Amino acid sequence: MMKHFISILDFSPEEIKKTINIAIAMKNNQIETPNLTKLFWKKFTVAGVFEKSSLRTRISFDVATAHLWGNYIHLTPENSWLWWKESWEDVTKVVSSMTDLIVTRTYSDEVLETMKKHSSVPVISWLDAHEHPCQVLADLMTIKEVFGSFEGLKMAYLGDADNNVTYSLAYACGLLWIDFTCAAPQEYQMKEEKLKKTKEIFMSTSANFTLTNDPQWAVKWIDIVVTDTRTSVGKGDEEMRVACLLPYQVNDEIMASANEKAMFLHCLPAYREKEVTSSVIDGEQSYVFQEAENRLHAQKAIMLHCLWCTDYLEVKHSIAHPGLWISTQVVMWAWLS
Ligand code: CP
Ligand code: NVA
């Protein structure tokens, strides 16, 4: 089975924790990336397929690939036939036949599904309409660095609940037994099917999932306060958003209602003075730039997990070097356990 990472739910709680531990270890130079990459006997290539803009995701994957001694190729409609001449099925078959990993940021569910179906290499989502799994792994890494563990923590998300970051966060909190409170106006609630999925995940844990439209109440006794850009890429109705989402702005009053040492997270880009005030985002409780830097370390760990811990590698590379494959896997897991 190939290890895709389209949803945070594609990783088990153990895989999430292990990936975060690897990311933190690499960040602190406890595992040196040159040593790790010596274990690769084939240089690997990552294809980035882009439909939307990006700063953090694009740069972190590009640099992470370089740190792991791989090649990164950036494909856009301007430099390839994407989107207008070839079918996505053909594009996926061709790209995956020459590369080892596809990372993609798309508008369309159909494109992602086509990629998953026809790719011969793992596919990682760089954000889509439903989730932003790589972002949330970096968020969890930041939480682990600050609090040391996950169990028993309380997170509150304020803002548009029908949002890719919110869904990935909600699912991740359920998997890791973090209480999750979502404060959103009636107009921007979670969609039925995803709400059902979230509730099902929380049913099997001892953590709590709460919905409210009271932002002040939502942050009481909360350790982690999160919001996201008021208008996600591709979404409109700006005027209505201004009216509905202003009461959910994270400001000094909101932070004062949370725990004294509560952290503030925002995946960025931020619309300052809209979903968050500058006093909060630049304040002492804000970890947004640590969170952004952690994208780099998290991406490395995600790529290693998708490339290495799958039958895909065994099939693709072990035939010529079965002994080497087994020994590198043993070394890798011994190191990382
Ligand atoms: N947080 C995030 O994904 O940022 P970019 O859109 O700049 O990649
Ligand atoms: N929810 C935002 C995240 C940006 C990184 C969006 O989809 O635009």
Side-chain angles (χ1 to χ4, degrees), residues 52 105 127-128 132 135 163-165 228-229 231-233 267-269:
K52 297 180 181 178
R105 178 172 277 200
L127 175 150
D128 58 55
H132 198 352
Q135 175 65 52
N163 176 18
N164 40 25
V165 171
D228 187 10
T229 172
T231 310
S232 290
V233 181
C267 67
L268 305 178

PDB file of all heavy atoms in Angstrom, residues 52 105 127-128 132 135 163-165 228-229 231-233 267-269, ligand 2:
ATOM      1  N   LYS A  52      -2.956  26.709  -6.844  1.00  0.00           N
ATOM      2  CA  LYS A  52      -3.186  27.929  -6.054  1.00  0.00           C
ATOM      3  C   LYS A  52      -1.831  28.497  -5.643  1.00  0.00           C
ATOM      4  O   LYS A  52      -0.827  27.795  -5.662  1.00  0.00           O
ATOM      5  CB  LYS A  52      -3.942  27.590  -4.768  1.00  0.00           C
ATOM      6  CG  LYS A  52      -5.327  27.033  -4.954  1.00  0.00           C
ATOM      7  CD  LYS A  52      -5.943  26.750  -3.586  1.00  0.00           C
ATOM      8  CE  LYS A  52      -7.331  26.163  -3.712  1.00  0.00           C
ATOM      9  NZ  LYS A  52      -7.925  25.836  -2.411  1.00  0.00           N
ATOM     10  N   ARG A 105      -1.442  21.162  -4.731  1.00  0.00           N
ATOM     11  CA  ARG A 105      -2.418  22.093  -4.142  1.00  0.00           C
ATOM     12  C   ARG A 105      -3.448  22.380  -5.226  1.00  0.00           C
ATOM     13  O   ARG A 105      -3.139  23.057  -6.212  1.00  0.00           O
ATOM     14  CB  ARG A 105      -1.709  23.370  -3.687  1.00  0.00           C
ATOM     15  CG  ARG A 105      -2.633  24.413  -3.113  1.00  0.00           C
ATOM     16  CD  ARG A 105      -1.884  25.590  -2.491  1.00  0.00           C
ATOM     17  NE  ARG A 105      -1.458  25.304  -1.143  1.00  0.00           N
ATOM     18  CZ  ARG A 105      -1.140  26.243  -0.238  1.00  0.00           C
ATOM     19  NH1 ARG A 105      -1.208  27.519  -0.552  1.00  0.00           N
ATOM     20  NH2 ARG A 105      -0.769  25.911   0.975  1.00  0.00           N
ATOM     21  N   LEU A 127      -2.916  21.308   0.573  1.00  0.00           N
ATOM     22  CA  LEU A 127      -4.121  22.088   0.887  1.00  0.00           C
ATOM     23  C   LEU A 127      -5.125  21.853  -0.237  1.00  0.00           C
ATOM     24  O   LEU A 127      -4.789  21.913  -1.411  1.00  0.00           O
ATOM     25  CB  LEU A 127      -3.814  23.581   1.007  1.00  0.00           C
ATOM     26  CG  LEU A 127      -4.938  24.609   1.222  1.00  0.00           C
ATOM     27  CD1 LEU A 127      -4.434  25.810   2.005  1.00  0.00           C
ATOM     28  CD2 LEU A 127      -5.548  25.062  -0.081  1.00  0.00           C
ATOM     29  N   ASP A 128      -6.354  21.554   0.175  1.00  0.00           N
ATOM     30  CA  ASP A 128      -7.456  21.474  -0.793  1.00  0.00           C
ATOM     31  C   ASP A 128      -8.687  22.031  -0.103  1.00  0.00           C
ATOM     32  O   ASP A 128      -8.583  22.632   0.968  1.00  0.00           O
ATOM     33  CB  ASP A 128      -7.647  20.027  -1.280  1.00  0.00           C
ATOM     34  CG  ASP A 128      -7.933  19.064  -0.153  1.00  0.00           C
ATOM     35  OD1 ASP A 128      -8.880  19.299   0.612  1.00  0.00           O
ATOM     36  OD2 ASP A 128      -7.202  18.063  -0.015  1.00  0.00           O
ATOM     37  N   HIS A 132      -5.936  20.599   5.263  1.00  0.00           N
ATOM     38  CA  HIS A 132      -4.568  21.102   5.096  1.00  0.00           C
ATOM     39  C   HIS A 132      -3.682  20.283   6.036  1.00  0.00           C
ATOM     40  O   HIS A 132      -3.179  20.776   7.052  1.00  0.00           O
ATOM     41  CB  HIS A 132      -4.528  22.587   5.452  1.00  0.00           C
ATOM     42  CG  HIS A 132      -3.324  23.325   4.944  1.00  0.00           C
ATOM     43  ND1 HIS A 132      -2.256  22.687   4.347  1.00  0.00           N
ATOM     44  CD2 HIS A 132      -3.008  24.653   4.951  1.00  0.00           C
ATOM     45  CE1 HIS A 132      -1.342  23.588   4.004  1.00  0.00           C
ATOM     46  NE2 HIS A 132      -1.777  24.779   4.367  1.00  0.00           N
ATOM     47  N   GLN A 135      -0.013  21.430   7.113  1.00  0.00           N
ATOM     48  CA  GLN A 135      -0.051  22.569   8.032  1.00  0.00           C
ATOM     49  C   GLN A 135      -0.315  22.090   9.460  1.00  0.00           C
ATOM     50  O   GLN A 135       0.347  22.497  10.414  1.00  0.00           O
ATOM     51  CB  GLN A 135      -1.166  23.538   7.604  1.00  0.00           C
ATOM     52  CG  GLN A 135      -1.381  24.692   8.559  1.00  0.00           C
ATOM     53  CD  GLN A 135      -0.176  25.618   8.609  1.00  0.00           C
ATOM     54  OE1 GLN A 135       0.287  26.063   7.581  1.00  0.00           O
ATOM     55  NE2 GLN A 135       0.331  25.902   9.799  1.00  0.00           N
ATOM     56  N   ASN A 163     -13.810  25.172   6.924  1.00  0.00           N
ATOM     57  CA  ASN A 163     -12.495  25.612   6.485  1.00  0.00           C
ATOM     58  C   ASN A 163     -11.518  24.434   6.552  1.00  0.00           C
ATOM     59  O   ASN A 163     -11.549  23.653   7.511  1.00  0.00           O
ATOM     60  CB  ASN A 163     -12.080  26.744   7.446  1.00  0.00           C
ATOM     61  CG  ASN A 163     -10.693  27.262   7.194  1.00  0.00           C
ATOM     62  OD1 ASN A 163     -10.115  27.049   6.139  1.00  0.00           O
ATOM     63  ND2 ASN A 163     -10.148  27.934   8.184  1.00  0.00           N
ATOM     64  N   ASN A 164     -10.657  24.317   5.532  1.00  0.00           N
ATOM     65  CA  ASN A 164      -9.722  23.189   5.460  1.00  0.00           C
ATOM     66  C   ASN A 164      -8.865  23.022   6.731  1.00  0.00           C
ATOM     67  O   ASN A 164      -8.721  21.913   7.244  1.00  0.00           O
ATOM     68  CB  ASN A 164      -8.824  23.316   4.213  1.00  0.00           C
ATOM     69  CG  ASN A 164      -8.366  24.742   3.953  1.00  0.00           C
ATOM     70  OD1 ASN A 164      -8.294  25.566   4.859  1.00  0.00           O
ATOM     71  ND2 ASN A 164      -8.057  25.044   2.693  1.00  0.00           N
ATOM     72  N   VAL A 165      -8.336  24.138   7.257  1.00  0.00           N
ATOM     73  CA  VAL A 165      -7.484  24.048   8.441  1.00  0.00           C
ATOM     74  C   VAL A 165      -8.305  23.556   9.637  1.00  0.00           C
ATOM     75  O   VAL A 165      -7.860  22.699  10.414  1.00  0.00           O
ATOM     76  CB  VAL A 165      -6.822  25.416   8.745  1.00  0.00           C
ATOM     77  CG1 VAL A 165      -6.103  25.409  10.076  1.00  0.00           C
ATOM     78  CG2 VAL A 165      -5.862  25.808   7.623  1.00  0.00           C
ATOM     79  N   ASP A 228      -7.909  31.348  11.512  1.00  0.00           N
ATOM     80  CA  ASP A 228      -7.348  31.225  10.164  1.00  0.00           C
ATOM     81  C   ASP A 228      -7.772  32.447   9.369  1.00  0.00           C
ATOM     82  O   ASP A 228      -8.654  33.209   9.772  1.00  0.00           O
ATOM     83  CB  ASP A 228      -7.859  29.929   9.506  1.00  0.00           C
ATOM     84  CG  ASP A 228      -7.184  29.643   8.165  1.00  0.00           C
ATOM     85  OD1 ASP A 228      -6.194  30.319   7.831  1.00  0.00           O
ATOM     86  OD2 ASP A 228      -7.669  28.757   7.445  1.00  0.00           O
ATOM     87  N   THR A 229      -7.140  32.604   8.232  1.00  0.00           N
ATOM     88  CA  THR A 229      -7.436  33.709   7.337  1.00  0.00           C
ATOM     89  C   THR A 229      -8.952  33.830   7.111  1.00  0.00           C
ATOM     90  O   THR A 229      -9.625  32.833   6.921  1.00  0.00           O
ATOM     91  CB  THR A 229      -6.661  33.500   6.014  1.00  0.00           C
ATOM     92  OG1 THR A 229      -7.080  34.448   5.094  1.00  0.00           O
ATOM     93  CG2 THR A 229      -6.857  32.132   5.432  1.00  0.00           C
ATOM     94  N   THR A 231     -10.810  34.937   4.778  1.00  0.00           N
ATOM     95  CA  THR A 231     -11.343  34.473   3.499  1.00  0.00           C
ATOM     96  C   THR A 231     -10.338  33.529   2.859  1.00  0.00           C
ATOM     97  O   THR A 231      -9.251  33.946   2.453  1.00  0.00           O
ATOM     98  CB  THR A 231     -11.595  35.668   2.553  1.00  0.00           C
ATOM     99  OG1 THR A 231     -12.353  36.641   3.280  1.00  0.00           O
ATOM    100  CG2 THR A 231     -12.354  35.239   1.324  1.00  0.00           C
ATOM    101  N   SER A 232     -10.701  32.256   2.783  1.00  0.00           N
ATOM    102  CA  SER A 232      -9.803  31.272   2.179  1.00  0.00           C
ATOM    103  C   SER A 232      -9.729  31.482   0.674  1.00  0.00           C
ATOM    104  O   SER A 232     -10.665  32.022   0.065  1.00  0.00           O
ATOM    105  CB  SER A 232     -10.298  29.857   2.476  1.00  0.00           C
ATOM    106  OG  SER A 232     -10.119  29.564   3.832  1.00  0.00           O
ATOM    107  N   VAL A 233      -8.625  31.004   0.082  1.00  0.00           N
ATOM    108  CA  VAL A 233      -8.450  31.140  -1.365  1.00  0.00           C
ATOM    109  C   VAL A 233      -9.646  30.537  -2.090  1.00  0.00           C
ATOM    110  O   VAL A 233     -10.072  29.431  -1.784  1.00  0.00           O
ATOM    111  CB  VAL A 233      -7.165  30.400  -1.823  1.00  0.00           C
ATOM    112  CG1 VAL A 233      -6.957  30.549  -3.319  1.00  0.00           C
ATOM    113  CG2 VAL A 233      -5.962  30.898  -1.066  1.00  0.00           C
ATOM    114  N   CYS A 267      -2.073  29.796  10.764  1.00  0.00           N
ATOM    115  CA  CYS A 267      -1.221  29.174   9.739  1.00  0.00           C
ATOM    116  C   CYS A 267      -0.570  30.206   8.824  1.00  0.00           C
ATOM    117  O   CYS A 267       0.398  29.901   8.146  1.00  0.00           O
ATOM    118  CB  CYS A 267      -2.033  28.171   8.941  1.00  0.00           C
ATOM    119  SG  CYS A 267      -3.325  28.928   7.928  1.00  0.00           S
ATOM    120  N   LEU A 268      -1.096  31.421   8.789  1.00  0.00           N
ATOM    121  CA  LEU A 268      -0.656  32.497   7.891  1.00  0.00           C
ATOM    122  C   LEU A 268      -0.954  32.128   6.428  1.00  0.00           C
ATOM    123  O   LEU A 268      -0.903  30.943   6.114  1.00  0.00           O
ATOM    124  CB  LEU A 268       0.830  32.828   8.074  1.00  0.00           C
ATOM    125  CG  LEU A 268       1.280  33.189   9.498  1.00  0.00           C
ATOM    126  CD1 LEU A 268       2.808  33.448   9.508  1.00  0.00           C
ATOM    127  CD2 LEU A 268       0.557  34.414  10.041  1.00  0.00           C
ATOM    128  N   PRO A 269      -1.226  33.016   5.532  1.00  0.00           N
ATOM    129  CA  PRO A 269      -1.153  34.461   5.713  1.00  0.00           C
ATOM    130  C   PRO A 269      -2.325  34.999   6.568  1.00  0.00           C
ATOM    131  O   PRO A 269      -3.427  34.484   6.476  1.00  0.00           O
ATOM    132  CB  PRO A 269      -1.267  34.994   4.280  1.00  0.00           C
ATOM    133  CG  PRO A 269      -2.016  33.939   3.534  1.00  0.00           C
ATOM    134  CD  PRO A 269      -1.638  32.647   4.170  1.00  0.00           C
TER     135      PRO A 269
HETATM  136  N1  NVA B   2      -7.824  28.308   4.857  1.00  0.00           N
HETATM  137  C1  NVA B   2      -6.803  29.004   4.121  1.00  0.00           C
HETATM  138  C2  NVA B   2      -5.470  28.470   4.464  1.00  0.00           C
HETATM  139  C3  NVA B   2      -4.332  29.238   3.855  1.00  0.00           C
HETATM  140  C4  NVA B   2      -3.001  28.623   4.113  1.00  0.00           C
HETATM  141  C5  NVA B   2      -7.077  28.867   2.640  1.00  0.00           C
HETATM  142  O1  NVA B   2      -7.589  27.823   2.191  1.00  0.00           O
HETATM  143  O2  NVA B   2      -6.807  29.803   1.903  1.00  0.00           O
END
